[in-house]
Amino acid sequence: MRITLVEDDDRVARGLATVLSQAGFDVHRVSTAAEALRAAPSDVVLVDLGLPDGDGLEVIRKLRDRPETAVIAVTARSEEHERVRGLRAGADDYIVKPFGVPELLARIDAVLRRTRAARALGHPEEPLVLGPMRISLGTREVTVDSLPVTLTRKEFALLHLLARRAPNVVSRDVILDQIWGATWESSSRTLDTHIAALRHKLGPAVVIRTIHGVGYRLLTDQLDC
Ligand code: CA
């Protein structure tokens, strides 16, 4: 299991590298945002938000296109709005310094379980099957309990994004950026409308939960957590 540690404080990085190696991880250390983005893919990336050559949030934003990588924001900024910014940028979880090793290992385990579940859903070209729901990207068909569900192009794109990341939270910013692109400033209300339409069309077997101040997560009876 490979971990990339993005931390500019050498003392902190050395300490973390030691405990993570002892826990059995293959640790790759970098100290700048640029190195983090050049690093080979990892199972987990721990990103310090305060980096000398740029904000760790920027690293998190760029890593969010790799759903197979779990991202944990590591920060000394304990204020709630900073944690929310980390999650909105696409982090799967965050941990506030100072933290204990058992907490760090527990959080890594938790995000790995979620990314493993996402990976077990298969190759992106294969249908995504989540509980009673089946989504075929090739034919753009969606069924719930084998019954077809008719979706608009945007509704399909939104559902596919939430399903790919399920059961992780997908932030509003990520959704607006990926589904509505450059015009997202005017689309925040549109997103709410599309979520409401999806909930109505998919029925009670598929739950799109609102995580206030962050975004949405998709759950089904077989993907509950
Ligand atoms: Ca730092």
Side-chain angles (χ1 to χ4, degrees):
M1 200 59 64
R2 181 182 161 94
I3 289 197
T4 298
L5 185 56
V6 189
E7 172 61 75
D8 59 306
D9 184 323
D10 187 55
R11 198 178 54 85
V12 173
R14 260 186 289 137
L16 283 176
T18 303
V19 296
L20 291 169
S21 301
Q22 282 165 356
F25 291 101
D26 170 19
V27 183
H28 179 67
R29 259 180 67 183
V30 298
S31 56
T32 64
E35 286 175 299
L37 295 172
R38 279 198 308 268
S42 283
D43 301 288
V44 184
V45 181
L46 295 181
V47 184
D48 178 29
L49 287 190
L51 293 171
D53 63 334
D55 202 308
L57 286 174
E58 212 37 56
V59 177
I60 294 171
R61 268 187 214 108
K62 297 212 164 107
L63 288 175
R64 74 192 181 197
D65 293 331
R66 302 182 194 165
E68 68 282 4
T69 300
V71 179
I72 301 179
V74 180
T75 172
R77 312 167 190 184
S78 57
E79 296 87 354
E80 185 175 13
H81 72 278
E82 291 296 347
R83 300 201 299 265
V84 169
R85 281 180 70 208
L87 292 172
R88 289 178 72 132
D92 296 290
D93 200 358
Y94 64 85
I95 188 162
V96 178
K97 292 177 191 170
F99 51 82
V101 171
E103 183 187 0
L104 175 64
L105 295 178
R107 286 184 185 272
I108 291 172
D109 274 352
V111 294
L112 280 175
R113 269 201 303 280
R114 282 181 277 179
T115 46
R116 263 191 231 115
R119 251 184 281 184
L121 295 170
H123 190 269
E125 295 307 311
E126 291 165 6
L128 273 175
V129 180
L130 294 98
M133 180 168 62
R134 188 182 171 89
I135 303 172
S136 301
L137 187 59
T139 58
R140 308 188 78 78
E141 284 171 335
V142 177
T143 59
V144 176
D145 289 327
S146 304
L147 295 172
V149 179
T150 306
L151 299 179
T152 66
R153 203 168 52 83
K154 288 287 191 210
E155 285 166 0
F156 181 89
L158 173 57
L159 177 65
H160 189 254
L161 173 61
L162 292 174
R164 260 189 354 242
R165 300 293 300 261
N168 289 338
V169 178
V170 187
S171 76
R172 289 181 69 90
D173 286 353
V174 169
I175 295 171
L176 291 168
D177 187 34
Q178 294 199 5
I179 309 295
W180 279 275
T183 61
W184 70 270
E185 290 288 357
S186 57
S187 303
S188 190
R189 196 65 56 79
T190 312
L191 169 56
D192 297 333
T193 311
H194 279 72
I195 291 284
L198 278 181
R199 283 174 174 149
H200 178 72
K201 290 182 177 182
L202 296 169
V206 180
V207 176
I208 299 173
R209 190 168 292 166
T210 303
I211 309 299
H212 287 289
V214 182
Y216 298 96
R217 62 193 299 218
L218 190 146
L219 301 167
T220 71
D221 42 9
Q222 289 174 27
L223 252 180
D224 212 1
C225 69

